[in-house]
Amino acid sequence: MTVCAIEMTTAAAFTIAADGAYAARLAGEGQARYPERWTLAGPEPYAVPLPLAQPEEADSEVLPLADGRVLIHRRVADRHAFALLYPTGGAGAGSRTGELPLGAIVPASQDVRVFLLPPSPDGHGAFALAVAAEETVLWQVAGVPGGPRRAAVLRGRCSGGVWLDRAGRLLALDRELEGRTKSVVVDLARGGEVTPLLQITEHSDDRLLLAEPDSGLLLIRSDAPGEPRLGWGVLGSERPVRFPECLRAADAVPFAVQPGQALMPESCGVALRVPEGIALWRPADRQVFRISAPMGWLGAGLWTPQGVLRLPCATPEVPCAVVTLAQPVPTPPVRITTPVTPRPVPLQQAPLS
């Protein structure tokens, strides 16, 4: 495993599709920004630029879909417009960018913040939040005929956005309401029904950062221990949330969780961004493995079920590359014998360990 000193080359988000086949980012600099699609499936990654006649604004957002198209969200005056971009006309100099408009959201006020949520697990739908002072609207902006449609309306200000299942039915959001932030679940198959997810203590702020549907592993940030701490729990389990001492660093942010570990959340590899680069950890471990990030790392990554972390990188010399890191040999996992089901349940606090 060879890594270099960290040097992140992008200020825009690099987003990977739920199945890991594609990714997208807003490439370029200054007044010459354009969407770029990465193909991650296959023997070697490659990038396809998707420029249009006019450069994109720096605050535009892009999201990859499973069919290779890229959703773009632009703010145009008081409207938030959405469209699908795709390459046409073959490869090379003759390549063009096709655009399919999907409609727009027109908020009631300029104070409403609109942003895309992480890619839906089904690979076809896409969702956005419109956050006002006292109300949040969840919009489906792709994968539905007739333009954006309201999927749910929630009291309070919502943020985050974590999918809890592979079907794209259960979406967790962090809702700020009456001075406290708690994670709730929106059931899209039941008309946007909202139920609690995290309630560690009555007065704590509890946020869900990541979830892994195969194992049920949840990565949580909460101030229930007396200060904001990273913890982990298991979806659908009565086992309490744990706050490992090795995750005490306040500036550690998880960005990828290993899939495919059914009924074994303790064996899931977790990758975290830390000031010195990347930290690798498993719930079964009592320590984290800190490493420098590859040169040109774009700040995102994807685990394989076999425990290999794939990190997209871009440098002037190699504008599209993926560096792979192997997870250190784990301690033997503790197998959970009770079934884990994808259902939202309150999680309680455990003694620190």
Side-chain angles (χ1 to χ4, degrees), residues 30-334:
Q31 302 298 315
R33 297 181 182 271
Y34 58 91
E36 183 178 73
R37 187 196 71 188
W38 286 39
T39 299
L40 302 178
E44 292 187 4
Y46 63 92
V48 176
L50 296 172
L52 292 168
Q54 297 292 327
E56 304 293 344
E57 298 292 336
D59 61 353
S60 296
E61 296 180 291
V62 292
L63 199 74
L65 302 185
D67 59 8
R69 294 183 295 179
V70 172
L71 174 72
I72 187 166
H73 162 219
R74 306 179 179 104
R75 180 161 185 169
V76 183
D78 60 346
R79 303 166 63 251
H80 291 265
F82 301 88
L84 291 175
L85 307 179
Y86 52 93
T88 63
S95 178
R96 300 286 190 273
T97 300
E99 181 174 12
L100 176 63
L102 297 178
I105 296 172
V106 183
S109 167
Q110 291 187 353
D111 296 330
V112 175
R113 181 184 173 221
V114 178
F115 58 91
L116 292 175
L117 292 178
S120 173
D122 66 11
H124 304 288
F127 293 81
L129 285 184
V131 184
E134 299 180 355
E135 181 182 84
T136 299
V137 180
L138 174 65
W139 291 86
Q140 183 169 0
V141 297
V144 60
R149 71 169 181 86
R150 291 192 180 204
V153 179
L154 296 83
R155 292 192 304 129
R157 297 175 60 86
C158 292
S159 58
V162 176
W163 294 99
L164 300 179
D165 63 340
R166 296 292 183 198
R169 170 180 174 176
L170 300 177
L171 174 66
L173 298 171
D174 299 328
R175 179 171 66 174
E176 181 185 345
L177 184 65
E178 298 176 353
R180 294 294 173 193
T181 300
K182 302 288 185 183
S183 289
V184 298
V185 176
V186 180
D187 190 334
L188 298 174
R190 302 187 64 175
E193 179 181 276
V194 179
T195 55
L197 176 66
L198 296 180
Q199 178 74 30
I200 300 180
T201 71
E202 182 179 353
H203 301 293
S204 59
D205 290 325
D206 310 317
R207 295 175 172 85
L208 180 62
L209 305 181
L210 284 179
E212 210 305 296
D214 294 336
S215 64
L217 178 64
L218 305 178
L219 278 301
I220 295 158
R221 188 178 296 278
S222 172
D223 60 5
E227 61 180 348
R229 293 275 299 274
L230 280 178
W232 68 278
V234 180
L235 183 67
S237 171
E238 295 181 356
R239 302 181 68 189
V241 174
R242 301 281 179 174
F243 296 93
E245 187 66 24
C246 64
L247 295 183
R248 191 156 193 158
D251 46 7
V253 179
F255 65 88
V257 183
Q258 181 184 357
Q261 310 303 297
L263 305 182
M264 295 192 298
E266 289 91 345
S267 69
C268 290
V270 178
L272 306 100
R273 286 189 293 269
V274 293
E276 57 268 45
I278 297 172
L280 305 180
W281 171 78
R282 284 188 179 92
D285 299 335
R286 293 185 177 272
Q287 61 179 325
V288 297
F289 299 87
R290 297 176 184 269
I291 58 177
S292 297
M295 188 69 71
W297 178 44
L298 296 176
L302 184 74
W303 285 99
T304 69
Q306 295 74 32
V308 175
L309 179 63
R310 307 185 71 210
L311 301 171
C313 304
T315 66
E317 297 77 19
V318 184
C320 178
V322 172
V323 173
T324 59
L325 304 178
Q327 172 79 328
V329 177
T331 56
V334 178

